[in-house]
Amino acid sequence: MKWFATNTIKKIKTFRLEWRPMVDTLLIMMAATALSFVLHEFFIQNNNVSMIYALAVVVVSCVTPGYFYGFIASLISVIGVNYFFTLPYWAFNFSMTGYPITFFIMLITSVITSTLVTGYRERERVEMEAEKEKLRSNLLRAISHDLRTPLTSISGSSSLLISDWKVIDEQTRMALLKDIRDNSDWLVRMVENLLSVTRISDGGGGIQKVPDMAEDIVAHAVSQVRRRFPEQKLNVIASAEPFEVPMDSTLIEQVIINLIENAIYHSGSNEPITVQVAEKDGKAVFTVRDHGKGVDVGRMMWIMDGYVETDRPGDKGRGMGIGLSLCSSIVKAHGGTMTVENALDGGAVFSFALPMEQEKEINE
């Protein structure tokens, strides 16, 4: 009871009238009145009319914030029943007993419904905040792992070149310079990933879905990887019939690039990497497959959550943490799903599916 009173006082202090909920309230009550006229015409029973208005009060309390609009709906309901559907018709008659009770019941109904809906929305908000906090902590943990080695390598190689430039042979110089360049490119990609994180960190607020050709996105992503890794063989398998997918093309292209680079760095194989896009069960399915050592079964449960085991051998260089975590977050922000599995004949298979139809926006 104390929580309810405190919560109500807070809502009254922060309340401000909004036109959208008010319009929704009036439209719902007009629809209830129209339906009540139909029922009254055929059944001539006030009980049916009262039930329709009571249902309208519940609907208003569910779709509008706070308690004010439910109170307005309750007031309109009592006035409507009195004026339109109680003898004498088209006139007010509050001398009849029961109207204060009717208004009180409808008001209590709206308050209880609003309280339940508010509690549900609050739980959703808390869960979303917890998920965002989990993403942030996982990304920070992944960043600390993924940045340490490239920065150490750049610092060590540049210091060696500065101090021993004259005594180092040409081949060693080129190897050190190439190492600096490769690690610098990796850090640039990391910064791009972090910038993308800022676009989706607020629950997908930065996602702008626009229909775009799936094959074009794959082709552009593959061309970007080929420019950076000219020696890596990439096979592209496209759908027989081109199709469009509502998506943020820049972010989805980055997902594909991250998955291909992940295969290049961690597969342990020089075999061609296959990138495929196809339409399946009303979804656009993008697949990146390598022919390397695959993914440890024990790591599949958390590999896309940004969790990093820093003491694992083989992951001392460029970790998979932030790249895969970012990919998973981008796909989820698009309403899609992402999976990882090992192929029967060897290698890892990363897939993500995006809905083909634009989802309708829900009133915030």
Side-chain angles (χ1 to χ4, degrees), residues 20-294:
R20 180 63 180 272
M22 181 58 73
V23 171
D24 292 341
T25 300
L26 295 178
L27 290 177
I28 293 172
M29 299 314 297
M30 290 172 61
T33 303
L35 181 58
S36 297
F37 270 113
V38 174
L39 293 177
H40 189 265
E41 182 70 23
F42 287 97
F43 297 99
I44 318 179
Q45 293 181 5
N46 285 341
N47 291 337
N48 295 323
V49 172
S50 299
M51 292 173 61
I52 292 298
Y53 275 108
L55 179 61
V57 171
V58 172
V59 173
V60 169
S61 301
C62 288
V63 300
T64 57
Y67 302 98
F68 175 77
Y69 305 101
F71 173 82
I72 295 297
S74 302
L75 186 62
I76 293 175
S77 298
V78 174
I79 294 176
V81 171
N82 186 290
Y83 188 77
F84 297 118
F85 306 107
T86 303
L87 292 173
Y89 298 131
W90 303 95
F92 290 109
N93 181 13
F94 288 105
S95 62
M96 299 178 64
T97 59
Y99 277 105
I101 297 178
T102 301
F103 175 73
F104 180 75
I105 291 176
M106 287 193 174
L107 181 60
I108 291 299
T109 300
S110 70
V111 170
I112 293 176
T113 304
S114 298
T115 302
L116 293 176
V117 172
T118 301
Y120 175 75
R121 290 171 178 168
E122 181 65 18
R123 286 194 299 271
E124 278 194 330
R125 186 191 66 81
V126 171
E127 291 176 358
M128 183 177 296
E129 288 296 327
E131 185 67 24
K132 289 163 61 177
E133 186 61 32
K134 177 183 176 183
L135 173 61
R136 292 190 187 100
S137 61
N138 286 343
L139 288 177
L140 287 174
R141 186 164 51 242
I143 291 169
S144 64
H145 173 260
D146 284 358
L147 293 184
R148 187 183 301 113
T149 300
L151 289 174
T152 302
S153 177
I154 292 174
S155 176
S157 298
S158 58
S159 297
L160 185 60
L161 287 172
I162 293 173
S163 61
D164 299 328
W165 177 269
K166 295 182 179 180
V167 299
I168 299 176
D169 60 87
E170 186 68 21
Q171 185 177 359
T172 304
R173 289 179 192 169
M174 292 303 299
L176 292 172
L177 291 172
K178 184 177 181 299
D179 183 67
I180 294 175
R181 184 198 63 184
D182 292 343
N183 283 287
S184 299
D185 289 342
W186 176 261
L187 292 176
V188 170
R189 174 64 62 187
M190 181 71 66
V191 172
E192 293 175 353
N193 285 343
L194 293 176
L195 292 176
S196 297
V197 169
T198 62
R199 296 182 58 186
I200 64 176
S201 61
D202 294 327
I207 299 295
Q208 301 295 331
K209 292 185 181 181
V210 177
D212 208 336
M213 301 300 297
E215 292 80 1
D216 292 345
I217 300 302
V218 172
H220 195 264
V222 170
S223 66
Q224 294 282 349
V225 176
R226 282 175 173 164
R227 191 176 298 116
R228 293 190 58 210
F229 304 93
E231 298 179 356
Q232 176 63 48
K233 296 179 181 179
L234 298 173
N235 295 333
V236 180
I237 303 177
S239 176
E241 295 292 334
F243 59 92
E244 290 186 338
V245 184
M247 58 182 167
D248 189 319
S249 57
T250 302
L251 291 179
I252 295 302
E253 178 182 325
Q254 188 166 357
V255 170
I256 299 172
I257 292 174
N258 283 358
L259 293 178
I260 297 175
E261 290 187 353
N262 177 74
I264 294 174
Y265 288 127
H266 299 282
S267 65
S269 172
N270 294 324
E271 295 293 321
I273 296 172
T274 302
V275 184
Q276 184 175 4
V277 57
E279 182 180 357
K280 183 178 180 181
D281 298 331
K283 295 183 178 180
V285 181
F286 299 79
T287 304
V288 176
R289 189 218 164 149
D290 60 62
H291 294 81
K293 56 187 178 182

Side-chain angles (χ1 to χ4, degrees), residues 279-325:
E279 182 180 357
K280 183 178 180 181
D281 298 331
K283 295 183 178 180
V285 181
F286 299 79
T287 304
V288 176
R289 189 218 164 149
D290 60 62
H291 294 81
K293 56 187 178 182
V295 180
D296 293 341
V297 177
R299 305 178 68 188
M300 286 186 180
M301 297 298 294
W302 50 261
I303 193 171
M304 288 182 291
D305 292 336
Y307 180 77
V308 177
E309 286 183 338
T310 57
D311 58 347
R312 292 186 63 90
D315 279 348
K316 296 299 182 182
R318 302 173 176 88
M320 292 185 283
I322 187 172
L324 293 181
S325 178

